[in-house]
């Protein structure tokens, strides 16, 4: 028989019930008490008209005039005395806060009740509580539990009631009716999870298995006194057992209580059927809850229902112990929540309410521990409430919250254990102030009782540690019960697999957290053994000791005779202490490897860090293995960054034995002059930045890009702030061995932009420099060759301001050699330049075709011999002196060729243009040199053809990788595709089908 079949109704137990009242009592049962539990309240009552509400709640004249039905026991005097008693009690309570006038017909008289105000009923205890100063600095009741509130029942509930309230069954402290829902304030914060409404009384069950009852108590159905009450009061059902389900009948109450062996017990309180010989009304009721043994022996009761004269109980068959295991889980969870709540209310809350708890650090850690404890306590209460609902449902194993939402529980326990061990590492409860320790001393017996320790001589601090590590034991209980549930299924079933895996997770976490506790206690003993300023500076809440070399099992190679070297391995750093100084090496940037036997150090360990490298010598081979394993595991754990998470998170993957050589980490340099105080965040390889990373200096400089062997190498972005201009220089391009090398774009803070080749951080090769803009004072543009950051070689300079363009040779940023100048006024000059001036022989052509060929001494200044040819063919030979356009002094001969002279005898000056310009093979040499270099040729025209094609493919794929829009968004497959494009398929020899397919695949990838 399957487990699901056992969850069906197995037995309907007919319980002995009281005789029912008349029809009027039935109407009262329907309308007397309606309660809503939850944070959000539905406001649908606004849609009802006042007239309908009044007619619905009003008493009919027939009901008022007619006596009680024959089935109603007890004389009329008993009813009247009960109503009078309830009214007297309500005079001390509070009136309705409803602003709606209510019409009520009583004994045939119509009267109007005006209820404008609200009178408070506050107990002296509540007044003292309000008047006391709130010293607590941390909330012990979570205001929001995140994912848990979405998956589990919330405990932040409110109770709202409305309807008739003659017997005080609404719980507002009076006997007045309510047309609108009103919150029962006295139940705020009580964590009500279930409500039951009878004819004249109401029951509320809390997550702590407490029952509050109010209303009529004629037959003892409230379980707390002989008198009725108009406000909720705590009922006494069973002092030793926990109530987990309630049902309210017309004038009786039923309670399900945890019994021995976790089998539910059924208790009854209220009216009992009166025997004919009885005449006293006191004898036809049960004032104290009575155990119904006959019903409790039926089996595992999961739910109840109350009628007028009969009750129903749903009982589950315990097939293979499945139902018993579920009840064990639910019962122990409710008991566990009560225990945690007692610790929170009796220990943590009074403790945090004290003044001057101690040092700021200790108080902060205590508050963090208390906060995580409260979250864990709240989650346990939610789980207990969900298990109650689960037992009343289908009871499918896959819907168990502890298995279905196991991550909530595992993370909560891990978070709590982490905060608790952090508190203990820093000194724990011993660090608290004297008032705190006095509080613990006065409540030593309470602490021992809550911590479940029996040794009277046990130190107070150990009792406190045992008390707050008590919740961790619950994980093993989860694992045990889940294993019991798994045994109820076939081994091949999905339920068995899921329950088995969940049990293993809880068991693994219990072992993991137990190890964390030992690490914290070991670290605490280390701080106590080696006190001092150095250890105080190293002490951190999250830092744990792994091993240390105080036993001289490890020493530094080539250390001085009188030197002291002490090595301490923590979970996040390796500390090298020398006398009063110490240095901390972060494990994320530490590499450890055994020294080869060839060097002679068989027991040596080489430690590599970004700026230091040293060798440690162990005393024995076993000591060497121990330290190497400890360092490797610590480095590996530090790189994972999940030391506080349970081991199951990795999904069962095999743990790495050795940490990776290549990794990602952060580091701040302190030695290297070039990188001093700079912070690097990126990829590393054997102690050096290697791969993509970001380097930031304190002065604002920043490099983001590729690294190789500790230096900037590859494509990267570099920013240098200019404080005077309040802007930054910006470079985007290629680097080599820590310097700008290759193609790049450099944007200067002054507004200049250079696009071209770099070498050793200088402009070198072909490049374009833009200076200013068209609207600025000196816009210009130069394109040409650069050598060591200066214009050298052929280049074109366009001076927009002067309206001149120079095309010629340069030397050290000056026009030097042959060149051409063209102006916006139509002047053309070609010839020699010296230090930016036209000096030597040159040719000047004006806009009207006047040509001068001769000597120059300065820009546009004729000085020396020359020939001036006019547009009509006449020319003058002689000596010229003066600036062109401002008057020229001429000493020479004027020639006017005859019309009959032969054409070849005329001057051929126009045909000589271009002779003094730069030859074509001297222009743009830097461009061609760069092309040959990219093709892999050392000299022009010399190189391997296939290598050249491969270099072309590499250049294309590299350019696509460094696309401006998404330089970092390439997927793994995209990167592999680009790498495959770097090798062009060869087809030397006969062309085959296989070669064709290779070329086709390559072209498809390219497209």
């Amino acid at each position: 028989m399957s487990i699901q079949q056992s969850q069906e109704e197995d037995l309907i137990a007919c319980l002995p019930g009281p005789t029912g009242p008349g029809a009027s009592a039935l109407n009262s049962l329907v309308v007397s008490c309606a309660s809503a539990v939850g944070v959000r309240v539905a406001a649908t009552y606004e849609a009802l008209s006042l007239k309908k509400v009044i007619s619905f709640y009003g008493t009919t004249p027939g009901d008022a005039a007619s006596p009680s039905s024959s089935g109603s026991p007890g004389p009329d005097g008993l009813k009247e005395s009960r109503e009078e008693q309830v009214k007297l009690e309500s005079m001390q309570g509070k009136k309705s806060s409803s602003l709606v006038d209510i019409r009520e017909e009583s004994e045939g008289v119509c009267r109007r009740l005006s209820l404008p105000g609200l009178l408070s009923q506050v107990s002296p205890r509540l007044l003292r509580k309000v008047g006391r100063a709130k010293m607590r600095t941390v909330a012990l009741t979570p205001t929001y539990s995140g994912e848990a509130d979405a998956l589990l029942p919330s405990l932040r509930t409110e109770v709202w009631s409305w309807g008739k309230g003659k017997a005080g069954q609404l719980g507002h402290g009076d006997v007045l009716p309510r047309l609108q829902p009103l919150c029962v304030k006295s139940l705020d914060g009580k964590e009500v999870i279930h409500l039951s409404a009878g004819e004249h009384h109401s029951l509320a069950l809390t997550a702590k298995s407490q029952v509050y009852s109010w209303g009529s108590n004629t037959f003892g159905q409230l379980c707390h006194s002989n008198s009725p009450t108009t406000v909720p009061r705590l009922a006494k059902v069973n002092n030793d057992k926990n109530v987990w389900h309630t049902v309210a009948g017309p004038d009786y109450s039923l309670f399900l209580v945890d019994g021995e062996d976790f089998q539910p017990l059924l208790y009854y309180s209220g009216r009992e059927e009166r025997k004919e010989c009885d005449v006293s009304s006191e004898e036809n009721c049960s004032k104290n809850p009575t155990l119904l043994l006959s019903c409790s022996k039926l089996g595992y009761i999961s739910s109840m229902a109350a009628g007028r004269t009969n009750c129903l109980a749903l009982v589950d068959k315990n097939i293979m112990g499945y139902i018993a295991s579920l009840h064990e889980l639910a019962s122990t969870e409710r008991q566990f929540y009560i225990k945690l709540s007692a610790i929170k209310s009796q220990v943590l809350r009074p403790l945090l309410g004290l003044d001057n708890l101690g040092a700021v650090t200790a108080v902060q850690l205590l508050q963090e521990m208390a906060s995580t404890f409260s979250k864990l306590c709240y989650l346990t209460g939610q789980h207990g409430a969900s298990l109650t609902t689960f037992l009343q449902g289908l009871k499918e194993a896959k819907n168990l919250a502890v298995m279905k939402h196991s991550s909530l529980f595992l993370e909560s326990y891990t978070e709590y254990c982490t905060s608790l061990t952090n508190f203990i590492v820093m000194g724990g409860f011993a660090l608290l102030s004297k008032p705190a320790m006095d509080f613990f001393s006065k409540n030593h017996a309470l602490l021992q009782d809550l911590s479940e320790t029996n040794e009277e001589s046990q130190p107070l601090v150990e009792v406190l540690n045992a008390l707050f590590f008590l919740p961790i034991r619950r994980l093993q209980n989860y694992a045990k019960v889940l294993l019991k549930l798994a045994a109820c299924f076939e081994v091949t079933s999905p339920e068995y697999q899921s329950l088995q895996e969940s049990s293993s997770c809880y068991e693994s976490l219990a072992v993991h957290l137990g190890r964390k506790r030992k690490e914290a206690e070991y670290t605490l003993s280390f701080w106590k053994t080696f006190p001092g300023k150095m250890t105080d500076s190293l002490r951190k809440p999250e830092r744990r000791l792994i091993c240390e070399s105080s036993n001289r099992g490890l020493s530094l190679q080539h250390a001085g005779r009188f030197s002291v070297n002490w090595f301490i391995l923590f979970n996040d750093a390796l500390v090298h202490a020398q006398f009063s100084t110490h240095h901390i090496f972060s494990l994320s940037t530490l590499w450890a490897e055994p020294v080869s036997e060839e060097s002679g150090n068989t027991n040596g360990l080489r430690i590599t860090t970004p700026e230091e490298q040293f060798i440690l010598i162990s005393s024995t081979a076993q000591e060497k293995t121990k330290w190497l394993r400890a360092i490797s595991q610590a480095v590996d754990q530090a790189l994972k960054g999940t030391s506080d998470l349970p081991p199951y998170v990795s999904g069962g993957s095999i743990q790495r034995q050795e940490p990776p050589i290549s990794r990602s980490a952060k580091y701040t340099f302190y030695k290297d002059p070039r990188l001093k105080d700079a912070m690097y965040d990126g990829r590393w390889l054997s102690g050096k930045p290697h791969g993509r990373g970001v380097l930031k200096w304190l002065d604002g400089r920043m490099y983001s890009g590729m690294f190789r062997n500790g230096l900037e190498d590859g494509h990267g972005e570099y920013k240098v702030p200019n404080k005077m201009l309040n802007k930054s220089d910006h470079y985007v391009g290629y680097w080599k061995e820590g310097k700008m090398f290759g193609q790049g774009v450099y944007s200067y803070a002054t507004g200049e932009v250079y696009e071209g080749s770099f070498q050793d951080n200088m402009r070198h090769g072909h490049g374009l420099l833009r200076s200013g803009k068209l609207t600025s004072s000196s816009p210009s543009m130069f394109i040409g060759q650069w050598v060591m950051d200066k214009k050298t070689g052929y280049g074109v300079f366009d001076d927009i301001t002067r309206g001149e363009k120079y095309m010629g040779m340069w030397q050290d940023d000056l026009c030097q050699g042959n060149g051409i100048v063209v102006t916006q006024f139509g002047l053309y000059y070609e010839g020699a330049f010296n230090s930016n001036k036209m000096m030597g022989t040159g040719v000047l052509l004006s806009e009207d075709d006047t040509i001068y060929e001769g000597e120059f001494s300065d820009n546009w200044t004729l000085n020396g011999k020359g020939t001036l040819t006019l547009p009509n063919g006449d020319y003058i030979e002689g000596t010229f002196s003066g600036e062109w356009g401002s008057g020229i002094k001429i000493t020479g001969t004027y020639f006017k060729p005859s019309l009959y002279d032969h054409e070849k005898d005329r001057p051929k000056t126009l045909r000589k243009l271009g002779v003094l310009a730069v030859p074509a093979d001297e222009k743009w040499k830097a461009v061609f040199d760069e092309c040959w270099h990219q093709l892999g040729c050392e000299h022009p025209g010399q190189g391997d053809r296939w290598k050249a094609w491969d270099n072309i493919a590499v250049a294309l794929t590299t350019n696509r990788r460094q696309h401006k829009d998404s330089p970092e968004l390439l997927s793994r497959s995209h990167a592999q595709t680009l790498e495959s494009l770097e090798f062009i398929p060869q087809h030397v020899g006969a062309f085959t089908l296989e070669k064709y397919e290779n070329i086709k695949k390559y072209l498809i990838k390219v497209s």
Side-chain angles (χ1 to χ4, degrees), residues 675-689:
L675 303 175
K676 187 173 177 59
D677 297 328
M679 195 275 287
Y680 172 77
D681 182 7
R683 299 293 299 175
W684 295 80
L685 179 63
S686 299
K688 295 182 179 179

Side-chain angles (χ1 to χ4, degrees), residues 32-218:
S32 62
C33 180
S35 303
V37 179
V39 180
R40 301 176 179 85
V41 181
T44 56
Y45 61 87
E46 294 180 357
L48 299 176
S49 64
L50 181 59
K51 181 178 180 181
K52 290 183 179 181
V53 174
I54 294 176
S55 62
F56 182 78
Y57 287 113
T59 305
T60 60
D63 291 341
S66 62
S68 301
S69 64
S70 60
S72 177
D76 295 340
L78 176 62
K79 181 177 180 181
E80 293 176 0
S81 62
R82 177 174 57 83
E83 291 182 354
E84 290 295 332
Q85 194 172 5
V86 170
K87 290 181 179 180
L88 289 175
E89 183 182 3
S90 67
M91 295 300 293
Q92 301 174 358
K94 54 184 179 180
K95 295 184 178 180
S96 170
S97 61
S98 174
L99 299 181
V100 181
D101 292 341
I102 303 175
R103 290 185 178 273
E104 179 178 347
E105 294 182 5
S106 177
E107 300 179 358
V109 179
C110 180
R111 54 196 178 93
R112 184 179 182 88
L113 300 179
S114 178
L115 307 172
L118 178 65
L119 299 179
S120 301
Q121 178 185 5
V122 183
S123 63
R125 180 183 176 185
L126 183 60
L127 287 175
R128 289 195 300 269
K129 182 177 179 181
V130 174
R132 191 166 57 243
K134 295 183 179 181
M135 302 303 297
R136 190 170 68 252
T137 55
V138 60
L140 292 182
T141 301
T143 56
Y144 178 66
S145 299
E147 188 179 1
D149 275 350
L151 302 176
L152 297 173
S154 176
L155 302 184
R156 291 182 291 274
T157 58
E158 294 177 347
V159 178
W160 294 66
S161 65
W162 64 99
K164 282 190 175 182
K166 285 185 177 181
Q169 62 266 46
L170 298 185
H172 300 306
D174 53 40
V175 294
L176 301 176
R178 297 292 192 281
L179 289 182
Q180 298 177 352
L182 186 65
C183 181
V184 182
K185 295 296 184 181
S186 58
L187 290 178
D188 284 356
K190 300 298 183 183
E191 299 178 347
V192 176
I193 59 174
H194 179 72
L195 288 171
S196 302
E199 281 191 0
H200 300 290
H201 77 289
S202 305
L203 303 177
L205 176 66
T206 70
K208 298 175 185 176
S209 298
Q210 295 175 327
V211 178
Y212 287 87
S213 59
W214 62 96
S216 174
N217 196 30
T218 305

Side-chain angles (χ1 to χ4, degrees), residues 603-631:
N603 296 331
L605 293 174
R606 177 178 285 105
I607 304 298
T608 302
T609 66
E611 297 181 270
E612 292 189 28
Q613 188 179 77
F614 50 89
I615 295 177
L616 303 179
I617 306 298
S618 56
S619 57
T620 62
Q622 293 78 8
E623 195 74 16
K624 170 188 173 181
T625 304
K626 165 195 165 185
W627 274 91
L628 181 60
R629 183 185 297 111
I631 294 176

Side-chain angles (χ1 to χ4, degrees), residues 274-289:
R274 186 178 60 180
K275 299 179 181 179
E276 295 181 358
C277 59
D278 292 338
V279 294
S280 174
S281 62
E282 296 292 334
E283 296 181 0
N284 75 330
C285 64
S286 174
K287 293 295 184 181
N288 296 319

Side-chain angles (χ1 to χ4, degrees), residues 967-987:
E968 307 238 2
L969 299 180
L970 293 180
S971 63
R972 193 182 189 90
S973 59
H974 192 183
Q976 292 176 351
T977 302
L978 291 178
E979 290 179 0
S980 65
L981 296 179
E982 296 180 1
F983 302 96
I984 299 177
Q986 302 182 11
H987 53 88

Side-chain angles (χ1 to χ4, degrees), residues 161-428:
S161 65
W162 64 99
K164 282 190 175 182
K166 285 185 177 181
Q169 62 266 46
L170 298 185
H172 300 306
D174 53 40
V175 294
L176 301 176
R178 297 292 192 281
L179 289 182
Q180 298 177 352
L182 186 65
C183 181
V184 182
K185 295 296 184 181
S186 58
L187 290 178
D188 284 356
K190 300 298 183 183
E191 299 178 347
V192 176
I193 59 174
H194 179 72
L195 288 171
S196 302
E199 281 191 0
H200 300 290
H201 77 289
S202 305
L203 303 177
L205 176 66
T206 70
K208 298 175 185 176
S209 298
Q210 295 175 327
V211 178
Y212 287 87
S213 59
W214 62 96
S216 174
N217 196 30
T218 305
F219 304 101
Q221 59 265 46
L222 299 186
C223 300
H224 52 62
S225 66
N226 295 326
S227 60
T229 178
T230 58
V231 291
R233 291 184 180 177
L234 190 63
K236 297 180 181 179
V237 180
N238 191 305
N239 295 330
D240 300 328
K241 305 299 181 182
N242 299 323
V243 181
W244 60 275
H245 187 48
T246 62
V247 171
D251 41 25
Y252 63 92
S253 303
L254 293 174
F255 308 93
L256 271 183
V257 180
D258 289 326
E260 296 182 359
D261 298 329
F262 312 109
Q263 185 170 344
L265 302 178
L266 182 58
Y267 281 81
Y268 177 90
S269 179
R271 174 187 290 188
E272 294 182 355
E273 186 176 358
R274 186 178 60 180
K275 299 179 181 179
E276 295 181 358
C277 59
D278 292 338
V279 294
S280 174
S281 62
E282 296 292 334
E283 296 181 0
N284 75 330
C285 64
S286 174
K287 293 295 184 181
N288 296 319
T290 303
L291 174 62
L292 303 179
L293 288 174
S294 58
C295 299
S296 301
K297 292 179 180 180
L298 294 174
Y300 288 87
I301 302 175
S302 61
S303 183
M304 305 176 299
R308 179 163 304 283
T309 58
N310 296 295
C311 303
L312 300 179
L314 182 65
V315 182
D316 294 319
K317 284 186 177 180
N318 184 27
I319 300 177
M320 298 182 67
Y322 180 77
I323 298 299
S325 298
L326 290 178
H327 279 272
E328 178 185 354
L329 177 61
S331 178
T332 54
E333 190 74 349
R334 288 189 289 267
Q335 186 64 35
F336 181 55
Y337 177 60
I338 294 173
K339 169 78 74 172
L340 296 183
S341 298
I343 296 174
K344 185 175 71 172
S345 61
Q346 300 178 34
V347 179
L348 284 178
R349 196 179 299 276
L351 176 63
L352 294 174
L354 298 175
D355 293 330
N356 189 20
L357 282 174
V360 176
T361 303
V363 174
Q364 289 177 348
L365 293 173
L366 175 63
Q367 291 176 350
E368 182 181 353
M369 185 270 289
S371 177
T372 54
F373 179 91
S374 178
K375 290 179 181 179
L376 179 62
C377 177
Y378 187 80
L379 177 64
T380 305
Q382 288 181 291
H383 185 219
S386 72
L387 286 173
T388 301
T389 306
F390 179 82
L391 289 174
Q392 298 169 352
L394 295 178
K395 306 177 188 65
E396 294 181 346
K398 64 180 181 180
N399 291 327
L400 274 172
V402 73
M403 183 181 70
K404 187 177 181 180
H405 310 301
S406 58
S407 60
L408 285 176
F409 296 85
L410 298 171
E411 291 172 3
S412 296
Y413 277 93
T414 303
E415 183 183 11
Y416 170 66
C417 186
T418 300
S419 62
L420 178 57
T421 51
N422 289 345
F423 179 59
I424 290 177
V425 163
M426 297 304 291

Side-chain angles (χ1 to χ4, degrees), residues 910-935:
L910 292 176
R911 298 177 185 177
K912 294 180 181 179
L913 293 179
V915 175
L916 300 179
V918 179
D921 56 352
E922 295 294 328
K923 296 180 179 180
W924 315 115
K925 293 182 66 176
V927 177
F928 294 100
D929 291 343
E930 180 65 23
C931 292
W932 289 115
H933 177 73
Q934 292 291 336
L935 293 174

